[in-house]
Amino acid sequence: MNAAQSMNLGRLLTHTAMLYPEHTALIQGEQSWTWSAINARVDAMVAALRALGLKKGDRILLQSRNNLQTFENSWTAFKLGCVWVPTNFRLTPPEVAYLGASSGAVAMIVEDIFAGHTDAVKAESKTLKHIIVIGQPRAGELSYEAMIAQHLGVVSEEETVHYDDPLWFFYTSGTTGKPKAGILTHGQMAFVVTNHLAEIIPGTTVRDCSIVVAPLSHGAGIHALLNVARGAAAILMSSEKFDPELFWQLVERHRVTNLFTVPTIVKMLVEHPAVDQYDHSSLRYMLYAGAPMYRADQKRALEKLGKVLVQYFGLGEVTGNITVLPPDMHSADDLDPNANIGSCGRPRVGIEVAILNDKHERVATGEIGEICCRGPAVFAGYHGNPEATEKALRGGWFHTGDLGKMDARGLLYITGRESDMYISGGSNVYPREVEEVLLTHPAVAEVAIVGMPDAKWGEIGIAVVVKRPECEAVEAAELLGYLEGRCAKYRWPRHIFFWDVMPKSGYGKIVKKDIKVLLVERGEVQSVAK
């Protein structure tokens, strides 16, 4: 029996270029490009790669900062029926070499400043045939721009695909072990784009404008698909170093209406003085994902920006498509029933969410268990890793590895990662609940609590705090005293250390496994080994 074919996701760009050929598609610094120009460049690169022999199913590795070529490279891969394998450009050469080798990449598109990464991939990969350089190629390498110039004017047909044909290897951040490549497919992503458009930036049109503040390799790249589908322009920041003042300048200048980001970036933006110096009234949707936002930070953002916050919860394996907390379900008023304090929202349309115990049974309302989901947003498994796929999809559900609970209305509350929970004196402790309390103290800018081994209690909580600059005098005893009456004593951290900065991932999230390592390296605790 023949399986029904699916739309090639690359068709979204083709449609938009036909509808809005002279509308601005992309802006970076003083340069801008129209939809017709970008589509023509993509078609030219499709023709160039076909001439090199690339075919449906081949993997294309990308190592590049956010720029025109990165923006268009995903569409090139999609139209070819190839699999896009973007890296976070901040990764080291050995890390990128692992991605290149494990994905089986045939071609590598790379900025010339990353020659060391190229050499590392070449040394480890058994499949790499072509190196295409954005900038100045070395001997044996091809020039990206020369390839486009040679084929400009060619109209390239999209490859015929089926629902389950892969289009993107979405690498996990590797909180445990090596990163795993989640397989995103053409049919799955058509659902995800449609659902995101309906539920997180509804009403978006060609008159809208988005700003990109994170690498296009992950969540920001998914968000870019939505704006392309509607013809909304995207602004790329001119530097990889995040500049809050420049951000607010660009919001005012281009009348930005939406963006995807993470809670730590929202915090930086609303705490920077520039938030009060530039007009941001055009903003309709500031999406935050990747981690829940602490209530103190959420309230500050709502007070500064109004009801523009949209929270969504979902891992790369479900492309962010599990729950949503839209603007009307946020409030800065703790007494407002629409504040939904601590919740990450309701299940997305088409997605079923359940809290399961270790026997794959649903737990009672309000009880903590593992957050699991099922529906058309769920990925097709991990590339080359059947054991991990089986574990993630056991019982027919996708297992997130996050712990949470649901209330009587079906709203979801995350209590933390399974790996974040620790057991102290026989009691389960979820650090997030204590972190929320500490963040309401006026001296605390950032906090992370991790469980560390202890001879007497099994594990104890260690808090790492970054102080606000004007509150340098605060001491650990004061913060512990602040927990009195606000938090059960068994959940208190046993020690508090003050650091100047927190270790963060390339996407701006605090990395607790790095905190554990640093606590040992700095001699603040003895060992992370159990």
Side-chain angles (χ1 to χ4, degrees):
M1 189 172 100
N2 290 329
Q5 294 169 352
S6 183
M7 180 197 77
N8 183 311
L9 203 76
R11 192 77 191 163
L12 294 176
L13 175 63
T14 307
H15 282 162
T16 292
M18 292 165 67
L19 273 171
Y20 310 115
E22 299 312 312
H23 277 71
T24 299
L26 188 68
I27 300 164
Q28 188 170 36
E30 298 306 312
Q31 291 184 287
S32 65
W33 299 267
T34 64
W35 288 115
S36 59
I38 286 181
N39 191 55
R41 286 173 55 84
V42 168
D43 279 357
M45 185 53 79
V46 168
L49 292 174
R50 279 181 176 152
L52 283 180
L54 266 73
K55 60 188 186 305
K56 181 179 177 180
D58 283 342
R59 269 77 83 179
I60 301 173
L61 182 72
L62 174 74
Q63 169 70 17
S64 175
R65 298 168 297 181
N66 285 355
N67 52 34
L68 167 66
Q69 293 85 356
T70 293
F71 183 84
E72 62 196 16
N73 186 237
S74 60
W75 301 101
T76 300
F78 301 165
K79 288 193 180 192
L80 274 166
C82 289
V83 183
W84 195 41
V85 188
T87 71
N88 182 334
F89 70 84
R90 297 184 179 95
L91 295 179
T92 64
E95 289 171 319
V96 173
Y98 173 78
L99 303 190
S102 64
S103 67
V106 171
M108 180 178 186
I109 295 176
V110 56
E111 258 191 293
D112 56 8
I113 64 168
F114 296 114
H117 294 70
T118 303
D119 294 340
V121 175
K122 283 169 64 179
E124 192 160 331
S125 173
K126 294 181 172 63
T127 56
L128 191 66
K129 295 179 181 176
H130 309 288
I131 297 165
I132 300 155
V133 178
I134 302 165
Q136 189 62 42
R138 299 176 296 177
E141 299 174 343
L142 299 167
S143 163
Y144 186 102
E145 291 301 325
M147 290 170 69
I148 285 185
Q150 188 178 354
H151 294 85
L152 207 55
V154 176
V155 177
S156 297
E157 289 292 317
E158 296 93 1
E159 182 68 39
T160 299
V161 297
H162 290 83
Y163 188 99
D164 291 328
D165 283 338
L167 88 160
W168 190 330
F169 282 175
F170 196 101
Y171 271 91
T172 65
S173 55
T175 51
T176 55
K178 294 281 191 182
K180 299 185 291 289
I183 303 170
L184 311 184
T185 74
H186 282 268
Q188 172 210 0
M189 290 305 297
F191 170 83
V192 168
V193 169
T194 303
N195 191 286
H196 277 343
L197 281 169
E199 298 221 76
I200 63 174
I201 53 169
T204 296
T205 72
V206 70
R207 293 182 295 278
D208 282 282
C209 182
S210 183
I211 188 166
V212 181
V213 297
L216 287 165
S217 53
H218 284 72
I222 300 292
H223 189 70
L225 305 182
L226 320 183
N227 288 283
V228 171
R230 285 289 172 262
I235 300 164
L236 302 182
M237 303 286 279
S238 298
S239 166
E240 62 264 31
K241 188 178 188 309
F242 186 60
D243 180 343
E245 181 161 11
L246 176 61
F247 170 90
W248 289 120
Q249 288 172 351
L250 291 170
V251 167
E252 177 180 276
R253 177 179 171 188
H254 296 289
R255 306 297 295 159
V256 168
T257 58
N258 73 66
L259 73 145
F260 162 89
T261 188
V262 295
T264 49
I265 299 295
V266 176
K267 179 182 174 71
M268 285 173 60
L269 289 171
V270 300
E271 290 183 353
H272 195 279
V275 71
D276 298 319
Q277 296 164 9
Y278 298 94
D279 179 8
H280 47 70
S281 60
S282 58
L283 266 181
R284 295 166 59 214
Y285 304 115
M286 179 180 273
L287 282 57
Y288 63 99
M293 189 184 295
Y294 293 111
R295 178 60 176 162
D297 296 335
Q298 190 185 75
K299 287 172 71 171
R300 190 177 296 108
L302 288 164
E303 287 159 1
K304 287 289 184 185
L305 305 176
K307 285 202 169 191
V308 301
L309 294 184
V310 182
Q311 180 184 173
Y312 71 83
F313 166 60
L315 288 71
E317 292 90 337
V318 202
T319 35
N321 215 105
I322 298 179
T323 64
V324 61
L325 193 75
D328 63 355
M329 294 180 76
H330 283 79
S331 174
D333 180 358
D334 287 345
L335 300 179
D336 185 344
N338 289 322
N340 298 298
I341 297 169
S343 174
C344 57
R346 56 170 171 77
R348 303 287 285 272
V349 172
I351 302 298
E352 183 179 2
V353 181
I355 308 298
L356 304 182
N357 61 23
D358 54 10
K359 296 177 183 175
H360 300 169
E361 301 165 334
R362 293 177 192 260
V363 303
T365 298
E367 284 189 14
I368 292 173
E370 185 180 11
I371 302 167
C372 300
C373 68
R374 58 189 178 192
V378 175
F379 75 148
Y382 297 109
H383 171 66
N385 197 334
E387 297 83 8
T389 300
E390 175 64 28
K391 183 181 178 185
L393 299 176
R394 61 194 183 278
W397 293 86
F398 172 67
H399 292 252
T400 66
D402 283 309
L403 298 172
K405 59 189 177 182
M406 293 184 85
D407 68 15
R409 295 185 298 155
L411 296 188
L412 181 66
Y413 297 77
I414 299 172
T415 52
R417 294 288 297 170
E418 278 185 310
S419 57
D420 287 348
M421 186 200 82
Y422 62 92
I423 302 172
S424 186
S427 297
N428 292 354
V429 181
Y430 302 98
R432 180 173 175 80
E433 298 168 326
V434 188
E435 292 165 348
E436 287 273 13
V437 175
L438 286 173
L439 270 171
T440 63
H441 189 285
V444 177
E446 292 180 317
V447 61
I449 299 173
V450 296
M452 301 294 279
D454 180 76
K456 181 179 179 181
W457 300 102
E459 289 179 293
I460 56 171
I462 304 289
V464 174
V465 170
V466 176
K467 301 177 190 178
R468 295 192 180 279
E470 66 275 18
C471 301
E472 283 301 316
V474 74
E475 294 182 354
E478 180 181 338
L479 295 185
L480 288 171
Y482 186 74
L483 293 175
E484 189 73 53
R486 293 181 169 91
C487 181
K489 204 152 192 173
Y490 78 88
R491 296 192 292 180
W492 290 17
R494 295 293 172 127
H495 302 286
I496 295 177
F497 296 107
F498 296 100
W499 291 3
D500 293 333
V501 292
M502 290 281 195
K504 294 192 174 89
S505 72
Y507 305 104
K509 291 192 283 186
I510 293 171
V511 183
K512 289 194 171 181
K513 65 173 184 176
D514 290 351
I515 289 174
K516 290 185 174 187
V517 172
L518 286 168
L519 281 166
V520 176
E521 289 180 352
R522 295 164 70 129
E524 289 167 332
V525 299
Q526 291 185 333
S527 173
V528 293
K530 290 188 181 179

